[in-house]
Amino acid sequence: MRVALYPGSFDPITTGHVDIIHRALEIFDQVEVGVATNIRKTSTFSGDERISMIRETFKDEPRVIVTSFSGLLVDYAVDRGIKTVIRGLRAVSDFEYEFQMASMNRHLTDQVDFMFLMTSEEHFFVSSSLVREVAVNGGDVSRFVPGPVQEHLRNRLKAD
Ligand code: COA
């Protein structure tokens, strides 16, 4: 079975991430979404919340599984026996960062390869932090996040 790991902080998952996962499902039999829990940036949603938002989004797609990891991404991929890591590219600026990260990862292990998929044009400008900022300020984010995330954002805003 061809399996790919799609890692990220997903704070929260956006329609841009969903687009990448659908593209990956065209190539792989299973996509494992790996939610990074020890990221440098502080997250708005807890690891469990980020995981459950992704699970709810893909509840009808058994080929998507969601796990979490801490520590090095390549160690996690090797532990899981996954040889391909998917990353999305939105713009030229993403490429520079991704190239640097993939190069460093290649120095860490030769057992994992990185595959880059281009995000569709309507998602070029979407990022989790921009979505959060628009939502916090009362803007409509329905085009940028899947349904279950809209609900979580609304509940979070009510709670804060
Ligand atoms: N559509 C919409 N938004 C996207 C996107 C897409 N297709 N792809 C990325 N983004 C957004 C993300 O939501 C994120 O937004 P934010 O900064 O506002 O939160 C931003 O672009 C950056 O995303 P990404 O590059 O995927 O970073 P990340 O924080 O989501 O994930 C890890 C980075 C977790 C993969 C990386 O830090 C990692 O591997 N950490 C583990 C430690 C490690 O091994 N480090 C590498 C050493 S070389």
Side-chain angles (χ1 to χ4, degrees), residues 8-9 14 16-17 20 36 41 69 71-73 87 90 97-98 101 104-105 119 126-129:
S9 47
T14 67
H17 297 124
I20 295 291
K41 30 188 181 182
F69 74 99
L72 284 180
L73 167 62
R87 297 287 292 162
R90 289 163 303 170
Y97 169 66
E98 293 297 335
M101 206 159 74
M104 172 60 86
N105 281 322
T119 314
V126 180
S127 76
S128 301
S129 47

Side-chain angles (χ1 to χ4, degrees), residues 1 16-17 25-26 44 104 122 141 144:
M1 187 158 82
H17 297 124
L25 285 171
E26 295 288 321
T44 299
M104 172 60 86
E122 68 262 35
V141 291
F144 310 126

Side-chain angles (χ1 to χ4, degrees), residues 72 74 99-112 114:
L72 284 180
V74 286
F99 185 75
Q100 203 180 2
M101 206 159 74
S103 305
M104 172 60 86
N105 281 322
R106 182 163 279 177
H107 280 278
L108 296 173
T109 182
D110 59 2
Q111 293 181 57
V112 178
F114 281 67

